[in-house]
């Protein structure tokens, strides 16, 4: 197996792990209190507000899964010279989707939930 194939396999496995964990957390099968250490459930936030935030974060998790699978295919078929730039682009895309955009959506949904409850 070439290095490209191993990296593509890693990206695909990572995508499946994100999909499974996101789906299980949104469905309530597992209770999470943090999203990859980027955002923790605050002591004043209710369980319902946190679940609303997780539901708002879910589309960003799915976008991350799609990006990882896209980059896995690109890495699999790309020449070795493009391996490092593609992996760097994949990591940048995951960080942008997961952190500022996804966490912003989660925070906004939690704030909106608290406003609706008042």
């Amino acid at each position: 197996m070439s290095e490209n194939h191993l990296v593509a396999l890693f990206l695909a496995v990572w995508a499946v792990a994100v999909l499974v964990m996101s789906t299980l957390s949104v469905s309530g099968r597992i209770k999470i209190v943090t999203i990859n250490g980027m955002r923790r459930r605050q002591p004043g936030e209710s369980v319902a507000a946190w679940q609303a935030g997780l539901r708002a974060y879910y589309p960003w998790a799915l976008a991350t899964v799609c990006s990882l699978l896209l980059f896995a295919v690109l890495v699999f078929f790309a020449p070795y010279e493009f391996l490092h730039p593609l992996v760097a682009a994949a990591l940048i895309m995951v960080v942008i989707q997961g952190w500022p955009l996804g966490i912003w959506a989660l925070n906004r949904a939690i704030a909106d939930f608290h406003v609706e409850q008042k």
Side-chain angles (χ1 to χ4, degrees), residues 16 18 22 28 33 37 45 48 54 61 69 71 74 77 83-84 109-110:
V16 170
V18 169
S22 298
V33 293
E45 294 171 349
L54 290 177
L69 291 176
F71 278 104
L74 290 173
F77 291 112
L83 177 64
H84 294 106
I110 290 174

Side-chain angles (χ1 to χ4, degrees), residues 6-118:
L6 289 174
V7 171
L9 179 63
F10 172 75
L11 292 173
V13 169
W14 188 8
V16 170
V18 169
L19 178 65
V20 168
M21 291 303 294
S22 298
T23 303
L24 289 176
S25 66
V26 167
S27 68
R29 304 243 174 172
I30 60 171
K31 305 292 184 214
I32 63 168
V33 293
T34 183
I35 297 177
N36 299 330
M38 297 183 290
R39 171 66 161 80
R40 292 191 167 278
R41 181 174 163 213
Q42 303 302 318
E45 294 171 349
S46 67
V47 173
W50 181 250
Q51 280 300 112
L54 290 177
R55 283 191 301 275
Y57 184 76
Y58 191 64
W60 296 105
L62 293 180
T64 301
V65 168
C66 292
S67 296
L68 286 170
L69 291 176
L70 171 71
F71 278 104
V73 170
L74 290 173
V75 165
F76 188 83
F77 291 112
Y80 179 76
E81 298 81 37
F82 295 109
L83 177 64
H84 294 106
L86 283 172
V87 171
L91 293 176
I92 289 169
M93 182 78 70
V94 167
V95 168
I96 289 172
Q97 287 174 340
W99 183 54
L101 299 176
I103 297 300
W104 174 83
L106 181 133
N107 289 334
R108 188 76 180 149
I110 290 174
D112 289 347
F113 185 86
H114 286 297
V115 169
E116 290 173 6
Q117 296 301 313
K118 290 183 180 184

